[in-house]
Amino acid sequence: MNSVVLPWHQSAWAQLVSRVDSNRLPHALILIAPSGSGRRLFAEAFCAYLMCDEEASKPCGRCKQCLLYASGNHPDVMVLTPELNSKAIKIDMVRRATQFVEQTANQAKATKVVIIEPAEAMAPAAANSLLKSLEEPPGKTLFMLIAEPGASLLPTIRSRCQPLVLGTAGDTEAMAWLTAHSIAEPQHLSAALQLAPGRPLYALELHEKGVPAWRAALEQSLPALLRGSVSASEVAKLAATQPALRAIQVLQDAIAHDCVQLSLRGAVSELKDRLAFQQKLLPVIRQLTGTSNPNELLALEYVFIEFAKLGQGMSDV
Ligand SMILES: [Zn+2]
């Protein structure tokens, strides 16, 4: 058991280390795991492992290489992630990385490492500009692409990388990690974990942002909105205290739950209304995920006004 590696990643870690020991480490890997499951920690720990000067118990955390790595300024490591307020890894970033691996490694016997997270954030042009380096990397190079399970990646990228599926945290492991990293009440942590199963790091972030309590309040306000006892703009204001897409996810979950109940009852007309409402959400989601800077409160007001219409003519919800 390596103490810098999360318990649910130990088996993947052992596989990688055994490949290093037998000189079978590929020059390009795709680490497959959901965000918020600790996948970046895994990549960074492995990067530190490759850099560390010690012979055993790597990464030691004390040698010159480990300290350099921990400072975030290791000259043989480059991390590509979308810039702030952007969702894409752009072509010029990838070009910088390919130039970086072409330069001679700065440290003696060093491997150059490029971490790309998430790999699916590379647009096709950016991904294409990476192909040559993936195919014939100069010197000792390791590309670690990090991707969601089921992410859509160019087949040419996939075929040049060895996939490694990182393990997923079970509920017990995830709760043990959460209670070790937060002083919050276990039931609150557990509520956050229910929103992010297998992703304890993301669950902790959700808890710290107050998402479970916000979500419960928003869910409670939906029947009131359908009855007309609260206004769409009031609900939108509550919803807008979190990112708009999160509120839309709550609505989608509520609608999906409704649709199951309605189809069991054979309530065709109400079912149709809900499916039509789901269609109205699609352009809003496109707008919110697009590159423009939409007014989230306005978008939410529209969505809740439309949602409230589902309650018209209903005597009891
Ligand atoms: Zn070290």
Side-chain angles (χ1 to χ4, degrees):
M1 189 105 160
N2 188 308
S3 62
V4 300
V5 179
L6 293 164
W8 52 94
H9 289 160
Q10 294 286 339
S11 152
W13 179 266
Q15 281 184 49
L16 268 192
V17 168
S18 85
R19 285 193 212 173
V20 175
D21 291 345
S22 56
N23 257 325
R24 287 183 298 115
L25 186 68
H27 52 75
L29 286 166
I30 299 184
L31 306 181
I32 300 165
S35 66
S37 61
R39 61 189 195 173
R40 175 73 169 271
L41 295 178
F42 181 93
E44 296 202 332
F46 189 62
C47 195
Y49 176 92
L50 293 175
M51 303 291 149
C52 180
D53 280 336
E54 286 295 313
E55 291 301 320
S57 304
K58 297 199 279 187
C60 71
R62 294 180 307 273
C63 71
K64 182 177 166 232
Q65 297 295 330
C66 280
L67 294 176
L68 198 53
Y69 182 75
S71 74
N73 295 314
H74 200 292
D76 292 322
V77 181
M78 187 181 252
V79 179
L80 300 190
T81 54
E83 283 164 355
L84 209 60
N85 297 325
S86 164
K87 287 159 191 139
I89 293 175
K90 299 188 178 123
I91 189 164
D92 57 326
M93 298 163 81
V94 174
R95 286 201 179 122
R96 276 203 297 279
T98 56
Q99 284 161 8
F100 163 77
V101 296
E102 277 158 20
Q103 293 157 8
T104 322
N106 284 292
Q107 307 289 331
K109 73 181 173 70
T111 300
K112 287 209 168 190
V113 181
V114 177
I115 297 175
I116 304 180
E117 183 195 20
E120 58 269 33
M122 288 187 289
N128 277 322
S129 70
L130 185 65
L131 290 180
K132 189 169 173 295
S133 295
L134 283 184
E135 181 83 25
E136 301 164 19
K140 286 165 81 178
T141 302
L142 174 65
F143 285 95
M144 269 194 280
L145 281 63
I146 304 180
E148 284 294 312
S152 112
L153 291 171
L154 291 181
T156 43
I157 293 275
R158 268 188 199 282
S159 64
R160 284 165 173 80
C161 301
Q162 270 192 27
L164 179 68
V165 179
L166 305 186
T168 311
D171 281 353
T172 313
E173 279 174 331
M175 271 310 288
W177 185 90
L178 281 166
T179 48
H181 287 82
S182 170
I183 53 165
E185 294 290 331
Q187 73 264 29
H188 293 146
L189 296 172
S190 168
L193 187 59
Q194 276 176 29
L195 298 177
R199 304 163 69 194
L201 286 81
Y202 183 51
L204 183 58
E205 186 188 327
L206 292 178
H207 167 75
E208 285 170 351
K209 290 180 174 165
V211 173
W214 165 84
R215 188 182 164 108
L218 187 57
E219 280 171 349
Q220 275 176 15
S221 72
L222 296 181
L225 179 58
L226 291 176
R227 284 194 304 269
S229 56
V230 59
S231 74
S233 74
E234 281 172 88
V235 179
K237 263 188 211 134
L238 165 66
T241 57
Q242 294 283 341
L245 280 172
R246 199 165 274 162
I248 290 188
Q249 182 66 54
V250 174
L251 266 179
Q252 284 180 316
D253 291 349
I255 291 285
H257 177 262
D258 261 14
C259 283
V260 173
Q261 302 300 320
L262 291 169
S263 49
L264 287 175
R265 290 200 337 241
V268 177
S269 146
E270 287 168 300
L271 193 57
K272 270 188 182 165
D273 288 348
R274 273 152 183 81
L275 295 176
F277 173 74
Q278 280 182 323
Q279 292 298 315
K280 289 180 186 166
L281 291 178
L282 300 179
V284 180
I285 293 170
R286 270 200 296 278
Q287 196 193 7
L288 291 169
T289 49
T291 47
S292 64
N293 231 345
N295 183 324
E296 297 211 341
L297 183 59
L298 272 182
L300 289 171
E301 278 177 356
Y302 162 75
V303 159
F304 286 108
I305 287 168
E306 290 299 318
F307 179 79
K309 290 179 186 168
L310 295 175
Q312 285 168 6
M314 292 169 71
S315 53
D316 187 28
V317 179

